[in-house]
Amino acid sequence: AKAFTNTVGMLGDYKSGKTLGRDGATVVDDFNELGNEWQLLPADDMLFHDKAEPQFPKRCIVPEDPRGELRRRLDESSISVEAAEAACSKTLTHKLDIKDCVYDILATQ
């Protein structure tokens, strides 16, 4: 860890934990925006053996947000939280086990 104490770059400032733009000063809190900020530009040195799409000026490909998809599915749930709790409580006794069970039921229906 000692070797990284002065590093600042795409993964942020080691000391502060802030994610910074290329200028080393602008704090970028959105990870999609941060990825685009650090996308290789034509003036940058070649870091990889091969060029792959997308190349600047095309923007980076943003992965789907699994949390957003999960939220949508939970909102459409046909089983209530109460019904899931009742079902889980029949076989489980530990509070955290019941909570995990309820989550699994709601997330996978």
Side-chain angles (χ1 to χ4, degrees), residues 8-13 18-21 31 34-35 38-39:
V8 177
M10 183 177 169
L11 297 178
D13 181 318
K18 294 178 183 174
T19 46
L20 304 173
F31 289 111
L34 182 71
W38 282 93
Q39 183 180 16

Side-chain angles (χ1 to χ4, degrees), residues 5-109:
T5 57
N6 293 322
T7 59
V8 177
M10 183 177 169
L11 297 178
D13 181 318
Y14 184 85
K15 289 181 183 174
S16 70
K18 294 178 183 174
T19 46
L20 304 173
R22 284 177 173 253
D23 64 5
T26 305
V27 176
V28 183
D29 292 320
D30 180 90
F31 289 111
N32 293 330
E33 187 181 325
L34 182 71
N36 283 316
E37 167 74 13
W38 282 93
Q39 183 180 16
L40 291 176
L41 303 174
D44 293 333
D45 291 333
M46 180 98 165
L47 296 178
F48 305 101
H49 293 287
D50 301 311
K51 287 186 177 182
E53 289 295 321
Q55 291 291 315
F56 185 84
K58 292 180 186 174
R59 302 304 265 167
C60 294
I61 299 168
V62 179
E64 291 182 28
D65 181 1
R67 293 173 295 162
E69 181 67 19
L70 183 60
R71 241 180 262 119
R72 183 189 65 74
R73 285 192 11 237
L74 289 176
D75 288 345
E76 296 172 359
S77 178
S78 62
I79 299 175
S80 70
V81 173
E82 293 78 17
E85 286 174 343
C88 294
S89 297
K90 289 180 182 178
T91 57
L92 301 171
T93 55
H94 192 272
K95 191 174 182 175
L96 287 177
D97 291 338
I98 293 171
K99 183 178 177 181
D100 289 342
C101 175
V102 168
Y103 177 84
D104 289 345
I105 288 173
L106 297 177
T108 59
Q109 62 172 318

